[in-house]
Amino acid sequence: MADRGAATKILLPESEMPTRWYNILADMPSPPDPPLHPGTKQPPAPEDLAPLFPMDLIEQEVSGQRYFDIPEPVLDIYRMWRPTPLHRAHRLEAALGTPAHIYYKYEGTSPAGSHKPNTSVAQAYYNRKAGITRLTTETGAGQWGSALAFAARQFDLEIRVYMVKVSYEQKPYRRLMIETWGGEVVPSPSRLTASGRRILEDDPDSPGSLGIAISEAVEEAAGRKDTNYSLGSVLNHVLLHQTVIGQEAQKQFALAGDYPDVVIACCGGGSNFGGLTFPFLYDRFTGNAPKAARVVAVEPAACPTLTRGVYAYDFGDTAGFTPLMKMYTLGHGFMPPGIHAGGLRYHGDSPIVSKLVKDGHVEAQAYSQVGVFEAAVQFARTEGIIPAPESAHAVKSAVEEALAAKAEGAPRTILFGLSGHGHFDLAAYEQYLRGRLQDYEYPAEMVEKALADLPVVPGA
Amino acid sequence: MADRGAATKILLPESEMPTRWYNILADMPSPPDPPLHPGTKQPPAPEDLAPLFPMDLIEQEVSGQRYFDIPEPVLDIYRMWRPTPLHRAHRLEAALGTPAHIYYKYEGTSPAGSHKPNTSVAQAYYNRKAGITRLTTETGAGQWGSALAFAARQFDLEIRVYMVKVSYEQKPYRRLMIETWGGEVVPSPSRLTASGRRILEDDPDSPGSLGIAISEAVEEAAGRKDTNYSLGSVLNHVLLHQTVIGQEAQKQFALAGDYPDVVIACCGGGSNFGGLTFPFLYDRFTGNAPKAARVVAVEPAACPTLTRGVYAYDFGDTAGFTPLMKMYTLGHGFMPPGIHAGGLRYHGDSPIVSKLVKDGHVEAQAYSQVGVFEAAVQFARTEGIIPAPESAHAVKSAVEEALAAKAEGAPRTILFGLSGHGHFDLAAYEQYLRGRLQDYEYPAEMVEKALADLPVVPGA
């Protein structure tokens, strides 16, 4: 039976919920390079982004201001599930026989079951404030689409989600969440946009892709005055909104009288990672804490952006429509193997996160999915919660840290982000339990080919 | 936008978690009639139950003691998710335009996603303490089986779940939860038991039923010294363990400076209902509170045990193996229509709950499922959480109470139990959203036929 000493959950009252978002651009020792317009190769002006985003979000995207007050209507919705619990993993510690203290910050208690609503609610609010009445977005398996549908409903916005057709057909559960919250889901490619029709003319049976869905959502938003586009990761303002996670964790550690030696989060586009870790990086950059935590970004070995990619300007999307971003990339034409952590299958990464890795402030690790699911099942059997496959990458890294502490016979305080539950990912667990889960080698040739297509940016 | 006044969630720290269960048998003005041995028609002796249950649970089943201390190892596991939040439904209130205050106690934050672990953890603990190393149980769609698998893993017990075959094949998600937690799932009828083999000889393609699955689980437990049987509702000790829910809610109302006028819970076998409401009935029976709350049990119109059944001795199972229980029943041969609230498809009810209804302490209501899902979708779109179909019956009743308060122009404080989330029930939501959900008439003829088969108990 488990250690019955310290508290199992550290809870904050609503009155202790953070009231501002933290912008790490104010404190980075060296800021990231700016995005560039794909045609002019110059930084885009705010007006260039105005057809897609409200001015408040554009300002947050480019500002160096350290804090932004969270608007009261956004706080009011956060209170539906925030502050989220910080758990002490007593049972996992006991199973590992480690002297380490393992904590995890659990974001799966939100209505959508992940950290995504922290930004979807903010984005819906600012769009509504700007007089927008409709949103479009894309979604793969539906994690982001469901979070935005929840948020849109709270502000009486209509929403259309372009969902990759193969997911639309094979993974109905998150689609049904979107519809239950009143959102419209369109299988992509569709006949509603020129981009979609072009694809369907070539291939009426196209299974779709995230790149195509982005093109459709952006095209619709750009063409309608009442409609904006909303993105769930990568961009600076998205990471900004997620920093409530790490700020809460800091307060919870203060209550527990502890502080992490290492902070771990999985990293796809960077929003979960930035949300948990940026407030701890603030502590490190400003010497504000009793010790400087190591910060670790964990990614899949099958899509090893930070560990095997190059640091270069590249498109954010597959089709090459977006501004160029300076980031770690495997090439925008890279199509990752079909691992179950769909949220980590991204060729690029947040420019901020990329720069932090480049400058040595953040460590990057990559794990193969069989080992990741092994850790996830051990976690589920000790701590009860079945993790999302994305979050399971952080579990795996935390287990490795705890075993390292055991080997050293030294204490270590580990914090990791459990960004969501795996209720809609049980088919992946079944594959693991039946021994049918596959590991993928590092796809060296595919990456090499994709990198050969990087856009040329003079002088960069 | 929503009312931004009072707190949205009322949270208790772990230190305020109840440390004892409340036994309403100590305070009922008139106790329920005892169960009877099906052969002798005499109350069973504790030894009669010993092949299936550990002595601690048998004692809790029959005791009139008001409180039982919750063992520390059980509290320790409760702390993984307890205390659960009490939410104020500001947004639902605003959408209804009601002067009522609506609160809901949410049990969906447990690892299994419902209130069921409150008793599964206790039952696993007492079995382990008695030297038992294996548990068997039955499950329909998997709600109870997953809760018991989670609990068994915490106490290193093996578990075999007999799962109704048609659910095993068509509803894999909760089966996969059970397996992820290390439990074994067997489609029932199986060749592992004499009862299963007998069914399969008659019909090799039998889809199974809860009654058959019970028979298999009981047969295996009765035949093995290392193995006990575990039940998720109906029995007194099961309801006892659930009373942490209502005790927490009382503390949370004290923090909010409010007290309910009416307490509402859905009722199938009675464990969710008893768990929330018995502590409030204690207040009423003892005059311990500022006012006496009305208490409402909500059931499906398609399986109207409390509203249309008879109060009589009947078997707890379909096959007629269990002791006879004095309860409201539609007849143990009654097969309810295939509504989506599987947890409410039970021909009988808890003898305690039945007696409370019979004596007028508890009101019973029945609603058809289309109206129930309409309320559930309204709830999801305002409060974010997608309710389990069972819990949605309580939502419906709460909405009706709030609309009655609006019609009267008078305040009213409403508490209802949101016993679980609907993440594994989205196919039912799809049917509702597509207009394909069916209502069922009260199945008068089927009930009449089933009631004709009631066992004869002289003098009862």
Side-chain angles (χ1 to χ4, degrees), chain B residues 71-110:
Chain B
E72 179 54 37
V74 174
L75 288 173
D76 188 50
I77 296 178
Y78 280 177
R79 288 188 192 103
M80 293 166 78
W81 73 94
R82 304 210 71 85
T84 61
L86 179 72
H87 291 253
R88 172 82 184 274
H90 289 301
R91 288 170 183 74
L92 179 61
E93 292 171 16
L96 296 170
T98 179
H101 292 187
I102 307 176
Y103 295 84
Y104 56 97
K105 179 73 171 162
Y106 183 42
E107 291 290 306
T109 58
S110 80

Side-chain angles (χ1 to χ4, degrees), chain A residues 1-14 72-73 76-83 87 90-91 108-109 111-113 125 128 150 153-156 168 172-177 179-183 376-377 380-386 421 423-427 429-430 433-434, chain B residues 1-14 72-73 76-83 87 90-91 104 109 111-113 125 128 150 153-156 168 172-177 179-183 376-377 380-386 421 423-427 429-430 433-434:
Chain A
M1 290 179 202
D3 166 359
R4 289 183 233 136
T8 302
K9 297 182 306 305
I10 298 107
L11 300 177
L12 289 178
E14 285 181 9
E72 179 54 37
D76 189 50
I77 296 179
Y78 279 177
R79 288 189 193 101
M80 292 167 78
W81 72 94
R82 303 209 71 86
H87 291 254
H90 288 301
R91 287 170 185 73
T109 58
Y125 166 75
R128 173 64 186 259
F150 158 71
R153 166 59 54 177
Q154 294 297 324
F155 291 103
D156 291 325
Y168 180 94
Y173 292 94
R174 288 199 174 274
R175 165 170 69 76
L176 290 170
M177 286 184 97
E179 294 179 349
T180 299
W181 283 320
V377 168
R381 290 183 180 182
T382 50
E383 295 295 314
I385 301 167
I386 299 176
H421 62 65
H423 295 172
F424 301 107
D425 305 286
L426 287 166
Y429 280 86
E430 179 168 40
L433 293 169
R434 303 276 183 277
Chain B
M1 288 178 206
D3 166 0
R4 287 182 235 136
T8 302
K9 298 182 305 306
I10 298 106
L11 300 178
L12 289 178
E14 285 180 10
E72 179 54 37
D76 188 50
I77 296 178
Y78 280 177
R79 288 188 192 103
M80 293 166 78
W81 73 94
R82 304 210 71 85
H87 291 253
H90 289 301
R91 288 170 183 74
Y104 56 97
T109 58
Y125 166 75
R128 172 66 186 256
F150 158 71
R153 166 59 53 177
Q154 295 297 324
F155 291 102
D156 291 326
Y168 179 94
Y173 292 95
R174 287 198 175 275
R175 165 171 69 75
L176 290 170
M177 286 184 96
E179 294 180 349
T180 299
W181 283 319
V377 168
R381 292 184 180 180
T382 49
E383 295 295 314
I385 301 167
I386 299 175
H421 63 64
H423 295 173
F424 302 107
D425 304 287
L426 286 166
Y429 280 87
E430 179 168 41
L433 294 169
R434 304 276 183 276

Side-chain angles (χ1 to χ4, degrees), chain A residues 226-256:
Chain A
D226 62 349
T227 302
N228 268 350
Y229 170 71
S230 185
L231 193 69
S233 195
V234 180
L235 299 182
N236 298 351
H237 70 270
V238 180
L239 276 59
L240 173 80
H241 300 152
Q242 293 291 354
T243 57
V244 289
I245 304 173
Q247 292 181 72
E248 284 181 8
Q250 287 175 319
K251 289 188 176 196
Q252 288 162 315
F253 268 101
L255 285 178

Side-chain angles (χ1 to χ4, degrees), chain A residues 178-215:
Chain A
I178 297 170
E179 294 179 349
T180 299
W181 283 320
E184 180 189 2
V185 189
V186 171
S188 166
S190 77
R191 301 211 164 271
L192 299 175
T193 65
S195 334
R197 286 188 296 270
R198 206 154 42 228
I199 301 285
L200 289 172
E201 271 161 35
D202 286 350
D203 177 7
D205 297 323
S206 165
S209 73
L210 211 51
I212 297 168
I214 292 176
S215 304

